[in-house]
Amino acid sequence: MKIATIVKSELTDPKTYTTHRTKVFYHPEKLFLSDSDKAAVELAVKIAGNNGQVDLFTLEQGEVGVRVLHEALAMGAASATEFVGSDPNDPANAYLAAEKVSEYLKDQGYDLILVGDVVGSAPIAAYLAENLGFNLYENVTRLSPNWEYETELDRGQLKGKVQTPAVLTVEANAIEPELPSFPALEAAQKQTIKSVALNLDTEEASEVVVNQTQHPHVIWNLDEEPDAVEKLVAALRQDGIMK
Amino acid sequence: MALQYTEQQREYIHLAQEFGDKYLKPELISKWDKAGECPKEAFNPAFDLGLHMLEIPKEYGGAGLSFEDSALVFEKLAEYDAGYALTLITSFVALRCVMISGTPDQARRFADILKPGKFAAFTLSEADSGSDSGSLRDTAVRKGNEYILNGEKAFATNGGVADVYIGVFRTSNNGNHGLSAFMIPRDTPGIYVGKHEDKMGLRLSNTVPLFFKDVHVPVENLIGKEGKGINIALNSLNLSRAFVSTLTVGIMQRALDEAGNYAVKREQFGQPIANFESVQNMLADMATSVETARLLVNNTMKMMDKGSLVRKEGAMTKLFVTDVAQKVTSDAVQIFGGYGYTRIYPVEKLMRDVKGFQILEGTNEIQRMTIAREVAKEYAKE
């Protein structure tokens, strides 16, 4: 059994996440492996057992990328690779990045690709499944050794059997990950991380276009404009979104 | 944050935080604090993570972290509970002491006991011999290939939970030079554990008197040479003073976090109390104390990593950090006002916990004597 797990970070302390309308400030030192990715790695390690292998990949850049790989390696994965390029995490580059990652993973004999289910991570899993011709199972909350899986729906669970090769997005509650030990983390920090350049041609990437012609203020500042809410309501009415 | 962490250190601190969030939840800490003891099973997750042998080299089964990195981990744990962290530190400081002063075989035997998840204790003080170790009276008499130990030890941290002790006993009437240190397995016949002390703070840390009645230990359990017990005790104290300072920084950080969060939310006279200059002054002094204390501890740990015994620096660190911590935790209670004086909020516990660190591992009065002696020595050389 050969499993690839694509890991990413999330903010550990929401207090350090601040927005100012047009900008989002992340504090890189607060970004660690996300809970759902921990579950994905734990699940992968458990399924792989003694005879299988779990390889880690990340699209996170720089120190955050290395950090999430260290955390995941300490949980029992065998190898780690970081994809470097021109901001492959940018949603606008998601398809291009997935295409390049698929090219890299193709023909490597993976039975499963697990991805933690965090808001914003869904496209990569879907693109990977499409590009690699793998089956896609989303929002998995349980996976048994005989490949039976469950996903949570609004009115119950969807149960079925995973047909490999497959891409699974894993929910944080799928399994309770064990904390790695300090010796394992220390060993992970010494392990070599492979770097693969994605060489994204961002000129080809889809572009996010903001139409600012209709309203001079697409973004209002609540701190400086006491009537910002009224302006927003007026704009929504003008566009027919609100009646 | 004044101290610039490396990426590796950040990862260690984060793991310590995850451990604390998972296993040292506030309701548990509060329950154990009220009960005055922490169940031994509560340390099993810490053993799994290797926290009980964090700075011990890998060849002895430890995690092999540096003193500096270990200190950062334990500072974070102390934010959750310093008594819990102290229990773990006491074990590996005792082992480190055997590694410094004993034979490789003794160190390996000691490490093998701790490795699967056991505790160690260092016992020096007696009822009438605290700071004045020269007046220590418990005896070790050699008979053939054995020493026979007799006496009573007081305030033995981890004494009730440890599986192995380092005990300092008198082998001759030569003051401090008549003391010798021994490695004593807990299951040796003749050892009795007294009643757990009902302490003011650090209540998750086990503290008991120990009674030794005709306890036979083989001569190969003598650590170092006969008459060198005081040196071994001082080596142990140098290490533990630095680590006690680390725990104190953790308590101070928690006090600042609690008080800061409270001050910006609690409103009086129609505004948050953090807007009042008197509260701002307290918060400013607290934050400054935390940063300076952390830097001092970090420097001492770096010196220990380079092999320094930090006799003077360890004493200076403990003196400064544990003294400023009294004010920091007291100010935290002050900022909480009447609520701070109750058990509704954790700041009263922080104040109780931190008081212990002015006393244990040598009172701060003894630290001043040590520092003065070392300073005088330096000037006498010139």
Side-chain angles (χ1 to χ4, degrees), chain B residues 3-228:
Chain B
L3 189 61
Q4 300 299 302
Y5 300 122
T6 65
E7 256 309 299
Q8 281 82 2
Q9 289 172 339
R10 226 184 281 289
E11 290 169 12
Y12 291 139
I13 294 167
H14 178 66
L15 181 52
Q17 185 168 351
E18 287 197 304
F19 175 85
D21 287 345
K22 188 168 182 180
Y23 296 109
L24 304 176
K25 294 184 189 299
E27 58 272 20
L28 283 175
I29 298 296
S30 176
K31 182 179 150 191
W32 295 333
D33 178 60
K34 276 178 193 159
E37 62 182 337
C38 181
K40 266 175 107 169
E41 309 79 72
F43 289 93
N44 290 342
F47 297 143
D48 291 341
L49 259 69
L51 281 164
H52 65 311
M53 292 176 79
L54 199 59
E55 73 79 27
I56 299 300
K58 284 181 182 162
E59 57 264 37
Y60 289 97
L65 267 64
S66 64
F67 283 115
E68 184 189 355
D69 293 350
S70 304
L72 297 174
V73 168
F74 277 98
E75 181 198 316
K76 180 54 75 179
L77 286 185
E79 287 183 29
Y80 295 87
D81 187 81
Y84 186 94
L86 179 66
T87 307
L88 295 162
I89 280 175
T90 302
S91 287
F92 69 71
V93 164
L95 170 54
R96 175 56 76 168
C97 189
V98 181
M99 288 168 61
I100 293 171
S101 310
T103 63
D105 172 64
Q106 285 174 332
R108 198 160 297 285
R109 277 195 287 144
F110 205 94
D112 285 346
I113 295 172
L114 299 192
K115 209 163 25 183
K118 304 284 183 188
F119 297 104
F122 190 97
T123 68
L124 175 69
S125 295
E126 296 171 5
D128 296 322
S129 161
S131 299
D132 177 16
S133 54
S135 65
L136 191 144
R137 282 188 292 201
D138 293 354
T139 58
V141 178
R142 181 161 181 172
K143 280 198 176 167
N145 287 331
E146 287 184 331
Y147 283 92
I148 300 167
L149 314 179
N150 276 290
E152 299 176 15
K153 293 290 179 195
F155 303 116
T157 305
N158 282 7
V161 293
D163 279 75
V164 61
Y165 304 120
I166 297 176
V168 180
F169 290 78
R170 181 162 295 288
T171 43
S172 77
N173 293 321
N174 191 15
N176 273 336
H177 301 290
L179 303 176
S180 303
F182 297 90
M183 187 173 131
I184 314 159
R186 165 75 180 86
D187 55 7
T188 312
I191 298 175
Y192 303 94
V193 176
K195 189 170 172 280
H196 178 39
E197 301 288 355
D198 191 10
K199 301 193 299 294
M200 170 183 172
L202 299 171
R203 289 171 62 80
L204 273 67
S205 161
N206 175 274
T207 312
V208 294
L210 291 172
F211 303 94
F212 295 83
K213 190 169 167 46
D214 295 329
V215 176
H216 292 239
V217 292
V219 286
E220 54 265 30
N221 283 20
L222 172 70
I223 302 169
K225 289 182 179 165
E226 205 174 279
K228 295 289 180 189

Side-chain angles (χ1 to χ4, degrees), chain B residues 40 55 208 210 244 266 268 298 323 356:
Chain B
K40 266 175 107 169
E55 73 79 27
V208 294
L210 291 172
V244 155
R266 169 75 170 171
Q268 290 291 279
N298 186 257
D323 273 1

